[in-house]
Amino acid sequence: MDQSRQDPAPDPAVKRLSLYLRQLESLHRRDVKTVSSRQLGESLRFTDAQVRKDLAYFGQFGHPGIGYTVVELIAQVRHILGTDKVWNVVLIGAGNLGRALAAYKGFTAKGFCLVAVFDNDVSKVGRKVGSFAVQPLAELEATVRKHAVRMAMMAVPADNAQDVADQLVTAGVRGLLNFAPVSISVPADVAVNAVDLAVQLEQLLFQVNTSAASKKSPG
Amino acid sequence: MDQSRQDPAPDPAVKRLSLYLRQLESLHRRDVKTVSSRQLGESLRFTDAQVRKDLAYFGQFGHPGIGYTVVELIAQVRHILGTDKVWNVVLIGAGNLGRALAAYKGFTAKGFCLVAVFDNDVSKVGRKVGSFAVQPLAELEATVRKHAVRMAMMAVPADNAQDVADQLVTAGVRGLLNFAPVSISVPADVAVNAVDLAVQLEQLLFQVNTSAASKKSPG
DNA sequence: GGATGTGAATGCATTCACAGCA
DNA sequence: TGCTGTGAATGCATTCACATCC
């Protein structure tokens, strides 16, 4: 299906790929035509060797003596990540965070398309979130099938998270972006990516207090 | 200042510490008294050795033959992370995401205290976000000083992020939790932790498409 | 000269395996 | 027996350094 597979492609490299893409898109908006591995890495605080090796896992995209041409590399990275196509997603949870996610422009800019919003709270069902009427979870499976949804964002209370995850898996969703502050269990063929806002702040606090600062998590 | 420092404490271990704490608090709510390294790690998909080594970086908290006593370990981990004290934070950005963050209960549950909300958009200044009237950034420095604020959450547009970061640093803030989809530059003694929602979804997509699934980022 | 791609070397994190204690 | 704490061994990611090409 894809071109030049070699090694299994290390997981940390994939995480950085998204950040490279973000930089590249920024360069493109500023009409920059080519970029070197050093330039691409510097604002992210990655070494040039790191950038080259990461990209080389997926193919040979550079031009010796020149660097990488921005539009070309953008296309390649999008293809690798899969964002050269549009993917439908659903959102579970119409609380404060859920509504913010529904309104977030960044998702559509990356090619994701929200197709429905769900919540089991009867006081929320039927209310509008953006252009969507909140649906009960009973309608999840039908919507997932109809729109070929493979990913869901979960912005639900901790107590409901496992239950909601189970329903999503049953409905056929293959990837969960979990904002609830609990770890959830899913079958091995389902992917989970967790974003715990309080944990992020907690980790920042540790960095601040040890004042080692200016280390990991660039962005 | 703190008890048993040995090695510089590996960064990945610190990231997991927050997750251990989350599990421990959950166990405590269920009245569980003691927990083994195996039990503590299993729902997070960490090995028992990993858990023991991580905790051992900070001291000797366990009881051979028994495990760790939950309340004891909670206190220790909170002390290590610094969440045994209350920390004041400010929020910049009163858009959709900002308002969701302001309302998020998870922060106060961890001991963080939001003390002010800022935005430079004149249409937002003065409006209420929760119990806070949105202030202009001109008032940032005074508020930071008054409440001894060391950390800020940035939920601002990408174009303003660097400018806002600069102002926060000038005002004396030492840690930034950045939700804007750009990398920002700060002095070496300031910590940045970035949360890019679109990047999270992008990385989930890759996992789903390679269907290797069920790997990293537990939670 | 300037830049990529990549084997080799380094460094770091995880896992193993076991001594020691309850 | 059950479990921790920890040196030693393993495995993996990053960095180095250089052959190669524009």
Side-chain angles (χ1 to χ4, degrees):
Chain A
M1 182 183 271
D2 58 344
Q3 61 251 44
S4 59
R5 171 178 309 125
Q6 25 196 105
D7 281 299
D11 199 82
V14 176
K15 290 187 67 176
R16 286 189 294 266
L17 222 48
S18 296
L19 300 176
Y20 298 146
L21 178 55
R22 208 179 59 180
Q23 291 296 113
L24 288 164
E25 286 167 343
S26 168
L27 291 168
H28 183 54
R29 281 193 294 274
R30 280 178 274 152
D31 263 320
V32 177
K33 301 303 183 193
T34 69
V35 65
S36 70
S37 55
R38 168 182 287 273
Q39 294 167 330
L40 187 50
E42 67 186 0
S43 63
L44 295 164
R45 312 217 200 189
F46 300 145
T47 67
D48 54 343
Q50 179 83 81
V51 174
R52 290 200 300 279
K53 183 138 286 202
D54 284 348
L55 295 173
Y57 278 116
F58 301 97
Q60 308 213 147
F61 308 133
H63 306 280
I66 307 291
Y68 302 85
T69 75
V70 173
V71 290
E72 207 175 283
L73 191 52
I74 286 177
Q76 294 282 5
V77 175
R78 280 192 185 146
H79 178 68
I80 294 163
L81 293 173
T83 47
D84 55 344
K85 298 187 183 65
V86 173
W87 298 93
N88 291 335
V89 301
V90 294
L91 168 67
I92 322 293
N96 286 307
L97 184 56
R99 290 196 301 274
L101 292 172
Y104 191 59
K105 305 267 195 329
F107 297 128
T108 43
K110 288 275 178 186
F112 296 103
C113 181
L114 183 65
V115 295
V117 179
F118 296 86
D119 199 307
N120 255 352
D121 185 333
V122 288
S123 73
K124 293 189 183 120
V125 170
R127 284 175 56 179
K128 282 267 181 170
V129 169
S131 58
F132 302 99
V134 177
Q135 302 173 248
L137 271 113
E139 298 173 12
L140 183 63
E141 193 156 358
T143 303
V144 167
R145 209 173 342 233
K146 180 177 174 188
H147 295 284
V149 171
R150 306 197 65 186
M151 293 186 296
M153 298 188 284
M154 294 176 42
V156 300
D159 293 339
N160 306 346
Q162 185 61 59
D163 183 45
V164 167
D166 292 343
Q167 292 185 59
L168 284 164
V169 171
T170 302
V173 173
R174 307 299 299 254
L176 311 181
L177 185 52
N178 177 32
F179 289 89
V182 287
S183 65
I184 54 179
S185 305
V186 294
D189 61 341
V190 175
V192 180
N193 215 343
V195 179
D196 187 324
L197 301 173
V199 161
Q200 294 297 324
L201 200 50
E202 207 169 52
Q203 287 168 7
L204 180 66
L205 174 64
F206 183 87
Q207 293 176 54
V208 167
N209 281 342
T210 56
S211 80
S214 152
K215 294 175 73 175
K216 282 295 146 45
S217 30
Chain B
M1 179 183 274
D2 57 342
Q3 61 251 46
S4 59
R5 171 177 311 120
Q6 24 194 108
D7 282 298
D11 199 81
V14 177
K15 292 187 65 176
R16 285 187 295 266
L17 222 48
S18 296
L19 300 177
Y20 298 147
L21 178 55
R22 208 178 60 180
Q23 290 296 113
L24 287 164
E25 286 167 343
S26 168
L27 290 168
H28 184 54
R29 281 193 294 274
R30 281 178 273 150
D31 263 320
V32 177
K33 300 303 182 193
T34 70
V35 65
S36 70
S37 56
R38 169 184 286 273
Q39 293 167 331
L40 187 50
E42 66 185 1
S43 63
L44 295 165
R45 309 218 202 190
F46 299 147
T47 65
D48 54 343
Q50 179 82 81
V51 174
R52 289 199 301 278
K53 183 139 284 200
D54 284 347
L55 295 174
Y57 278 115
F58 301 96
Q60 308 212 148
F61 308 134
H63 306 280
I66 307 291
Y68 302 85
T69 75
V70 173
V71 289
E72 206 174 286
L73 190 53
I74 286 176
Q76 293 283 5
V77 175
R78 280 194 186 144
H79 178 68
I80 294 163
L81 292 172
T83 47
D84 54 344
K85 298 186 183 64
V86 173
W87 298 93
N88 291 337
V89 301
V90 293
L91 167 67
I92 322 295
N96 287 306
L97 185 56
R99 290 196 302 274
L101 292 172
Y104 190 59
K105 306 266 195 330
F107 297 129
T108 42
K110 288 275 178 186
F112 296 104
C113 180
L114 183 66
V115 295
V117 178
F118 296 86
D119 198 307
N120 255 350
D121 185 335
V122 288
S123 73
K124 293 194 183 113
V125 170
R127 283 175 56 179
K128 281 266 181 169
V129 169
S131 57
F132 301 99
V134 177
Q135 301 174 248
L137 269 113
E139 300 174 11
L140 183 62
E141 193 156 358
T143 302
V144 166
R145 209 174 340 236
K146 180 176 174 189
H147 295 284
V149 171
R150 307 197 64 184
M151 295 186 295
M153 298 188 283
M154 294 176 42
V156 301
D159 293 339
N160 306 347
Q162 184 61 58
D163 183 47
V164 167
D166 293 343
Q167 292 186 59
L168 284 164
V169 170
T170 303
V173 173
R174 307 297 300 256
L176 311 180
L177 185 52
N178 177 32
F179 289 89
V182 287
S183 65
I184 56 179
S185 304
V186 294
D189 61 343
V190 175
V192 180
N193 214 344
V195 179
D196 188 324
L197 301 172
V199 161
Q200 293 298 324
L201 201 49
E202 209 168 51
Q203 287 168 6
L204 180 66
L205 175 63
F206 183 86
Q207 294 176 54
V208 168
N209 281 342
T210 54
S211 80
S214 149
K215 295 175 72 176
K216 283 291 147 48
S217 28

